Amino acid sequence: MSKARCRIGVVAPASRMSADVAVRVPALAGRLYPDRLPEIFFHPQCFASHGHFAGDDETRARAFLDIANDESTDAVWFARGGYGSCRVVEAVMGRLTESSRRKVYVGYSDAGMLLAALYRAGFEGVAHGPVAQDILRDAGDAAVARALAWMVDRAPAALEPTVGGGRKAAAFNMTVLSQLLGTPLQPDLDGHMLMLEEVGEAMYRIDRSLFHITSNPEIRRVSGIMLGRCSAISPNEPDFGMNEEEIARYWCGRSGIPWLGRADIGHDTNNKIVPFGYLGMTGPMQLAPSS
């Protein structure tokens, strides 16, 4: 790995990031990389507030473009999920420059809207993985260290164990993927291992999302579905009578999509990195010289 510093830009296309993140993430990076500290830039927009969102739609779109189009930035890291990426994604996609294609993009949850659009547009550095605000979770240092390991070194240990081996992969929050299907954001996932995770939903909603996902003609061309963790499941009244794996197996069987087992992803600190497509940008990236 080059001694050049990796420059990571953090942006919040959805909900506002806690100011504590901008203190704790650089401190952790300093402990992990004492000899080649990555430069982590938190766009001021991360701390903006406009109702539910981290700034209004145009503010969030401009901030994403500031980071993505900056030639000196090596990685675009999503500050957090929440909600709001769908309100800016079409505005930013038409304003990205060639330099935006030479970066990695790491996030999950609501960020899946942007990851999907970028991947559809042929970006090679798209990856489902921890966001910066995960550092505030219990044992969150491990999640953030994993994201940094991927952005700085493309560390294989950060990857979901089934990734690679000549197989294409993609990963999404279940609800996010369900809601982007049939829109201009829907990526081509033909032949991909499709990994899905969920949080905060009742079993009937998981069932409904999997009905919608597995009914999509393009999704039926994936190589199979893997189920990540479904956490903080809301009570179902009456009891649904099936757990999340039984539901996933049911819809795989009904749709003819192969069931490939469980994936090590989820809304938690054990969330592993899943690069979209083939393993993609596997080697250390060509870092811009530090100023």
Side-chain angles (χ1 to χ4, degrees):
M1 177 67 185
S2 168
K3 291 295 183 181
R5 295 175 70 191
C6 176
R7 189 169 195 266
I8 300 167
V10 183
V11 66
S15 299
R16 185 175 187 270
M17 188 190 79
S18 169
D20 289 346
V21 176
V23 176
R24 293 178 58 176
V25 166
L28 175 63
R31 296 193 296 272
L32 294 172
Y33 302 96
D35 300 324
R36 49 190 178 98
L37 179 68
E39 181 182 354
I40 304 175
F41 168 69
F42 292 87
H43 196 289
Q45 169 272 328
C46 293
F47 314 106
S49 181
H50 183 81
H52 178 92
F53 308 104
D56 62 25
D57 291 352
E58 179 56 24
T59 297
R60 301 195 320 281
R62 284 199 311 269
F64 180 83
L65 292 166
D66 286 347
I67 299 293
N69 290 339
D70 181 357
E71 292 187 1
S72 70
T73 301
D74 305 300
V76 179
W77 194 15
F78 293 94
R80 60 163 298 177
Y83 169 72
S85 297
C86 65
R87 297 171 64 103
V88 304
V89 60
E90 290 181 290
V92 304
M93 290 306 298
R95 296 153 65 186
L96 290 168
T97 64
E98 186 59 31
S99 65
S100 67
R101 292 183 173 272
R102 297 191 288 271
K103 297 172 173 57
V104 293
Y105 296 80
V106 178
Y108 72 110
S109 189
D110 187 77
M113 292 283 179
L114 279 157
L115 298 180
L118 292 165
Y119 189 56
R120 178 186 174 98
F123 283 60
E124 296 181 355
V126 176
H128 176 284
V131 293
Q133 184 138 314
D134 280 333
I135 201 164
L136 301 184
R137 296 179 183 271
D138 289 342
D141 284 12
V144 167
R146 190 178 307 116
L148 290 172
W150 180 249
M151 290 185 286
V152 174
D153 285 333
R154 304 296 181 273
L159 295 170
E160 201 283 334
T162 60
V163 166
R167 297 167 294 186
K168 293 185 286 186
F172 290 95
N173 171 263
M174 200 179 294
T175 297
V176 169
L177 178 60
S178 178
Q179 294 184 348
L180 67 82
L181 294 179
T183 74
L185 309 181
Q186 182 174 342
D188 180 4
L189 299 178
D190 185 16
H192 290 60
M193 298 186 298
L194 176 58
M195 304 182 193
L196 300 171
E197 53 82 18
E198 190 54 276
V199 64
E201 300 288 0
M203 286 297 179
Y204 81 90
R205 290 178 178 169
I206 292 173
D207 189 75
R208 182 166 57 195
S209 289
L210 284 168
F211 150 72
H212 187 219
I213 291 168
T214 60
S215 296
N216 183 275
E218 299 303 313
I219 293 296
R220 289 189 175 187
R221 295 165 56 194
V222 301
S223 66
I225 284 177
M226 300 185 73
L227 183 66
R229 289 176 288 282
C230 297
S231 57
I233 295 173
S234 303
N236 210 103
E237 183 60 41
D239 184 73
F240 194 75
M242 300 172 73
N243 63 32
E244 65 270 28
E245 181 171 325
E246 291 169 333
I247 292 170
R249 286 175 175 271
Y250 171 84
W251 286 110
C252 282
R254 185 158 166 173
S255 63
I257 298 173
W259 163 255
L260 300 180
R262 302 304 296 255
D264 194 7
I265 63 169
H267 267 70
D268 54 42
T269 57
N270 290 319
N271 190 26
K272 301 301 191 298
I273 303 286
V274 181
F276 283 33
Y278 293 110
L279 195 50
M281 299 174 74
T282 54
M285 66 195 312
Q286 296 300 311
L287 300 177
S290 56
S291 57

PDB file of all heavy atoms in Angstrom, residues 120-139:
ATOM      1  N   ARG A 120     -26.036   1.309 -11.553  1.00  0.00           N
ATOM      2  CA  ARG A 120     -26.741   1.286 -12.841  1.00  0.00           C
ATOM      3  C   ARG A 120     -25.973   2.089 -13.893  1.00  0.00           C
ATOM      4  O   ARG A 120     -25.942   1.725 -15.077  1.00  0.00           O
ATOM      5  CB  ARG A 120     -28.150   1.853 -12.663  1.00  0.00           C
ATOM      6  CG  ARG A 120     -28.960   1.933 -13.958  1.00  0.00           C
ATOM      7  CD  ARG A 120     -30.280   2.648 -13.735  1.00  0.00           C
ATOM      8  NE  ARG A 120     -30.981   2.856 -14.987  1.00  0.00           N
ATOM      9  CZ  ARG A 120     -31.949   2.085 -15.462  1.00  0.00           C
ATOM     10  NH1 ARG A 120     -32.345   1.030 -14.756  1.00  0.00           N
ATOM     11  NH2 ARG A 120     -32.535   2.348 -16.618  1.00  0.00           N
ATOM     12  N   ALA A 121     -25.335   3.182 -13.439  1.00  0.00           N
ATOM     13  CA  ALA A 121     -24.600   4.055 -14.352  1.00  0.00           C
ATOM     14  C   ALA A 121     -23.189   3.557 -14.648  1.00  0.00           C
ATOM     15  O   ALA A 121     -22.424   4.242 -15.337  1.00  0.00           O
ATOM     16  CB  ALA A 121     -24.531   5.467 -13.766  1.00  0.00           C
ATOM     17  N   GLY A 122     -22.824   2.387 -14.129  1.00  0.00           N
ATOM     18  CA  GLY A 122     -21.538   1.791 -14.458  1.00  0.00           C
ATOM     19  C   GLY A 122     -20.404   2.119 -13.512  1.00  0.00           C
ATOM     20  O   GLY A 122     -19.237   1.833 -13.822  1.00  0.00           O
ATOM     21  N   PHE A 123     -20.707   2.695 -12.341  1.00  0.00           N
ATOM     22  CA  PHE A 123     -19.653   2.967 -11.364  1.00  0.00           C
ATOM     23  C   PHE A 123     -19.156   1.645 -10.776  1.00  0.00           C
ATOM     24  O   PHE A 123     -19.946   0.795 -10.382  1.00  0.00           O
ATOM     25  CB  PHE A 123     -20.192   3.870 -10.254  1.00  0.00           C
ATOM     26  CG  PHE A 123     -20.305   5.319 -10.650  1.00  0.00           C
ATOM     27  CD1 PHE A 123     -21.105   5.715 -11.701  1.00  0.00           C
ATOM     28  CD2 PHE A 123     -19.592   6.287  -9.956  1.00  0.00           C
ATOM     29  CE1 PHE A 123     -21.212   7.058 -12.065  1.00  0.00           C
ATOM     30  CE2 PHE A 123     -19.681   7.626 -10.311  1.00  0.00           C
ATOM     31  CZ  PHE A 123     -20.503   8.014 -11.374  1.00  0.00           C
ATOM     32  N   GLU A 124     -17.828   1.503 -10.671  1.00  0.00           N
ATOM     33  CA  GLU A 124     -17.228   0.235 -10.276  1.00  0.00           C
ATOM     34  C   GLU A 124     -16.882   0.160  -8.792  1.00  0.00           C
ATOM     35  O   GLU A 124     -16.550  -0.918  -8.301  1.00  0.00           O
ATOM     36  CB  GLU A 124     -15.960  -0.017 -11.098  1.00  0.00           C
ATOM     37  CG  GLU A 124     -16.236  -0.181 -12.593  1.00  0.00           C
ATOM     38  CD  GLU A 124     -14.976  -0.442 -13.390  1.00  0.00           C
ATOM     39  OE1 GLU A 124     -13.873  -0.394 -12.770  1.00  0.00           O
ATOM     40  OE2 GLU A 124     -15.079  -0.696 -14.599  1.00  0.00           O
ATOM     41  N   GLY A 125     -16.952   1.278  -8.070  1.00  0.00           N
ATOM     42  CA  GLY A 125     -16.504   1.281  -6.687  1.00  0.00           C
ATOM     43  C   GLY A 125     -17.620   1.311  -5.666  1.00  0.00           C
ATOM     44  O   GLY A 125     -17.400   1.750  -4.537  1.00  0.00           O
ATOM     45  N   VAL A 126     -18.792   0.837  -6.025  1.00  0.00           N
ATOM     46  CA  VAL A 126     -19.960   0.895  -5.147  1.00  0.00           C
ATOM     47  C   VAL A 126     -19.924  -0.266  -4.158  1.00  0.00           C
ATOM     48  O   VAL A 126     -19.700  -1.412  -4.548  1.00  0.00           O
ATOM     49  CB  VAL A 126     -21.247   0.838  -5.988  1.00  0.00           C
ATOM     50  CG1 VAL A 126     -22.485   0.806  -5.105  1.00  0.00           C
ATOM     51  CG2 VAL A 126     -21.313   2.019  -6.947  1.00  0.00           C
ATOM     52  N   ALA A 127     -20.164   0.013  -2.880  1.00  0.00           N
ATOM     53  CA  ALA A 127     -20.138  -1.052  -1.880  1.00  0.00           C
ATOM     54  C   ALA A 127     -21.128  -0.776  -0.756  1.00  0.00           C
ATOM     55  O   ALA A 127     -21.231   0.351  -0.256  1.00  0.00           O
ATOM     56  CB  ALA A 127     -18.736  -1.215  -1.288  1.00  0.00           C
ATOM     57  N   HIS A 128     -21.844  -1.826  -0.369  1.00  0.00           N
ATOM     58  CA  HIS A 128     -22.706  -1.813   0.817  1.00  0.00           C
ATOM     59  C   HIS A 128     -21.815  -2.053   2.025  1.00  0.00           C
ATOM     60  O   HIS A 128     -21.061  -3.023   2.077  1.00  0.00           O
ATOM     61  CB  HIS A 128     -23.732  -2.946   0.671  1.00  0.00           C
ATOM     62  CG  HIS A 128     -24.652  -3.146   1.831  1.00  0.00           C
ATOM     63  ND1 HIS A 128     -24.263  -3.744   3.000  1.00  0.00           N
ATOM     64  CD2 HIS A 128     -25.963  -2.860   1.989  1.00  0.00           C
ATOM     65  CE1 HIS A 128     -25.289  -3.822   3.820  1.00  0.00           C
ATOM     66  NE2 HIS A 128     -26.329  -3.289   3.235  1.00  0.00           N
ATOM     67  N   GLY A 129     -21.857  -1.128   2.989  1.00  0.00           N
ATOM     68  CA  GLY A 129     -21.023  -1.288   4.167  1.00  0.00           C
ATOM     69  C   GLY A 129     -21.350  -0.242   5.214  1.00  0.00           C
ATOM     70  O   GLY A 129     -22.199   0.630   5.001  1.00  0.00           O
ATOM     71  N   PRO A 130     -20.678  -0.290   6.356  1.00  0.00           N
ATOM     72  CA  PRO A 130     -21.000   0.599   7.477  1.00  0.00           C
ATOM     73  C   PRO A 130     -20.925   2.075   7.117  1.00  0.00           C
ATOM     74  O   PRO A 130     -20.106   2.500   6.290  1.00  0.00           O
ATOM     75  CB  PRO A 130     -19.950   0.232   8.523  1.00  0.00           C
ATOM     76  CG  PRO A 130     -19.582  -1.183   8.205  1.00  0.00           C
ATOM     77  CD  PRO A 130     -19.632  -1.265   6.713  1.00  0.00           C
ATOM     78  N   VAL A 131     -21.762   2.868   7.773  1.00  0.00           N
ATOM     79  CA  VAL A 131     -21.741   4.327   7.631  1.00  0.00           C
ATOM     80  C   VAL A 131     -20.977   4.934   8.810  1.00  0.00           C
ATOM     81  O   VAL A 131     -20.709   4.259   9.816  1.00  0.00           O
ATOM     82  CB  VAL A 131     -23.173   4.895   7.570  1.00  0.00           C
ATOM     83  CG1 VAL A 131     -23.866   4.452   6.289  1.00  0.00           C
ATOM     84  CG2 VAL A 131     -23.983   4.487   8.798  1.00  0.00           C
ATOM     85  N   ALA A 132     -20.646   6.200   8.688  1.00  0.00           N
ATOM     86  CA  ALA A 132     -19.853   6.846   9.727  1.00  0.00           C
ATOM     87  C   ALA A 132     -20.561   6.851  11.079  1.00  0.00           C
ATOM     88  O   ALA A 132     -19.938   6.626  12.122  1.00  0.00           O
ATOM     89  CB  ALA A 132     -19.501   8.271   9.298  1.00  0.00           C
ATOM     90  N   GLN A 133     -21.884   7.079  11.059  1.00  0.00           N
ATOM     91  CA  GLN A 133     -22.610   7.180  12.322  1.00  0.00           C
ATOM     92  C   GLN A 133     -22.721   5.851  13.058  1.00  0.00           C
ATOM     93  O   GLN A 133     -23.090   5.823  14.230  1.00  0.00           O
ATOM     94  CB  GLN A 133     -23.994   7.791  12.096  1.00  0.00           C
ATOM     95  CG  GLN A 133     -24.777   8.015  13.379  1.00  0.00           C
ATOM     96  CD  GLN A 133     -25.512   9.329  13.440  1.00  0.00           C
ATOM     97  OE1 GLN A 133     -24.962  10.371  13.119  1.00  0.00           O
ATOM     98  NE2 GLN A 133     -26.770   9.279  13.863  1.00  0.00           N
ATOM     99  N   ASP A 134     -22.358   4.764  12.417  1.00  0.00           N
ATOM    100  CA  ASP A 134     -22.341   3.480  13.124  1.00  0.00           C
ATOM    101  C   ASP A 134     -21.399   3.496  14.319  1.00  0.00           C
ATOM    102  O   ASP A 134     -21.515   2.646  15.213  1.00  0.00           O
ATOM    103  CB  ASP A 134     -21.950   2.342  12.168  1.00  0.00           C
ATOM    104  CG  ASP A 134     -23.108   1.869  11.313  1.00  0.00           C
ATOM    105  OD1 ASP A 134     -24.269   2.004  11.745  1.00  0.00           O
ATOM    106  OD2 ASP A 134     -22.863   1.369  10.200  1.00  0.00           O
ATOM    107  N   ILE A 135     -20.477   4.443  14.367  1.00  0.00           N
ATOM    108  CA  ILE A 135     -19.561   4.507  15.507  1.00  0.00           C
ATOM    109  C   ILE A 135     -20.308   4.778  16.807  1.00  0.00           C
ATOM    110  O   ILE A 135     -19.803   4.486  17.897  1.00  0.00           O
ATOM    111  CB  ILE A 135     -18.455   5.559  15.274  1.00  0.00           C
ATOM    112  CG1 ILE A 135     -17.255   5.253  16.178  1.00  0.00           C
ATOM    113  CG2 ILE A 135     -18.982   6.987  15.486  1.00  0.00           C
ATOM    114  CD1 ILE A 135     -15.987   5.957  15.792  1.00  0.00           C
ATOM    115  N   LEU A 136     -21.523   5.303  16.738  1.00  0.00           N
ATOM    116  CA  LEU A 136     -22.306   5.586  17.941  1.00  0.00           C
ATOM    117  C   LEU A 136     -23.054   4.369  18.460  1.00  0.00           C
ATOM    118  O   LEU A 136     -23.628   4.415  19.543  1.00  0.00           O
ATOM    119  CB  LEU A 136     -23.300   6.718  17.661  1.00  0.00           C
ATOM    120  CG  LEU A 136     -22.699   8.051  17.198  1.00  0.00           C
ATOM    121  CD1 LEU A 136     -23.788   9.097  17.060  1.00  0.00           C
ATOM    122  CD2 LEU A 136     -21.609   8.525  18.155  1.00  0.00           C
ATOM    123  N   ARG A 137     -23.068   3.281  17.705  1.00  0.00           N
ATOM    124  CA  ARG A 137     -23.688   2.046  18.178  1.00  0.00           C
ATOM    125  C   ARG A 137     -22.793   1.389  19.225  1.00  0.00           C
ATOM    126  O   ARG A 137     -21.588   1.657  19.286  1.00  0.00           O
ATOM    127  CB  ARG A 137     -23.897   1.060  17.016  1.00  0.00           C
ATOM    128  CG  ARG A 137     -24.869   1.515  15.935  1.00  0.00           C
ATOM    129  CD  ARG A 137     -24.944   0.444  14.855  1.00  0.00           C
ATOM    130  NE  ARG A 137     -25.799   0.811  13.744  1.00  0.00           N
ATOM    131  CZ  ARG A 137     -27.105   0.561  13.671  1.00  0.00           C
ATOM    132  NH1 ARG A 137     -27.698  -0.067  14.682  1.00  0.00           N
ATOM    133  NH2 ARG A 137     -27.806   0.918  12.623  1.00  0.00           N
ATOM    134  N   ASP A 138     -23.354   0.489  20.012  1.00  0.00           N
ATOM    135  CA  ASP A 138     -22.539  -0.326  20.908  1.00  0.00           C
ATOM    136  C   ASP A 138     -21.535  -1.108  20.075  1.00  0.00           C
ATOM    137  O   ASP A 138     -21.906  -1.724  19.066  1.00  0.00           O
ATOM    138  CB  ASP A 138     -23.418  -1.292  21.708  1.00  0.00           C
ATOM    139  CG  ASP A 138     -24.268  -0.580  22.752  1.00  0.00           C
ATOM    140  OD1 ASP A 138     -23.938   0.574  23.098  1.00  0.00           O
ATOM    141  OD2 ASP A 138     -25.268  -1.176  23.206  1.00  0.00           O
ATOM    142  N   ALA A 139     -20.276  -1.068  20.469  1.00  0.00           N
ATOM    143  CA  ALA A 139     -19.201  -1.732  19.716  1.00  0.00           C
ATOM    144  C   ALA A 139     -19.086  -1.183  18.302  1.00  0.00           C
ATOM    145  O   ALA A 139     -18.644  -1.878  17.383  1.00  0.00           O
ATOM    146  CB  ALA A 139     -19.407  -3.251  19.695  1.00  0.00           C
TER     147      ALA A 139
END
